[in-house]
Amino acid sequence: MKLKKGDQVVVIAGKDKGKTGTITKVSPSTNKVVVAGINVIKKATKPNPQTGEGGGLIEKEAPIHASNVMFLDPATGKGTRKRPQ
């Protein structure tokens, strides 16, 4: 997998097509990445009195397949296949 944590990427497929962000987590075994601010989902959680957490809806980034992102070229602002230098 060529993608690494901290890389700037652009989404090329899916509901967030065209958006850009930074990779925060990489999972090579499943070939997925988590991009900050991209593929945000709402998850319902139950309250947990032992940890003091309240229940409700929380927003978090879900993983996206690595084939749906490309490196962002800072010079052009478009996606590129090679890591920008």
Side-chain angles (χ1 to χ4, degrees):
M1 178 180 269
K2 296 179 180 181
L3 301 167
K4 297 192 183 330
K5 184 177 177 179
D7 286 343
Q8 291 284 333
V9 294
V10 60
V11 180
I12 59 171
K15 66 177 185 175
D16 293 322
K17 182 177 179 179
K19 293 183 181 179
T20 62
T22 305
I23 294 178
T24 57
K25 185 178 178 185
V26 177
S27 179
S29 60
T30 59
N31 208 22
K32 295 191 178 208
V33 294
V34 176
V35 183
I38 305 294
N39 200 20
V40 177
I41 60 169
K42 290 188 179 187
K43 182 176 171 97
T45 59
K46 287 186 176 181
N48 188 348
Q50 293 176 343
T51 59
E53 295 176 4
L57 293 174
I58 60 167
E59 290 187 353
K60 61 183 270 187
E61 292 96 7
I64 185 169
H65 199 269
S67 66
N68 293 334
V69 296
M70 289 180 84
F71 292 115
L72 179 66
D73 186 11
T76 63
K78 295 183 180 179
T80 181
R81 291 185 182 187
K82 294 185 179 180
R83 180 185 306 276
Q85 303 305 332

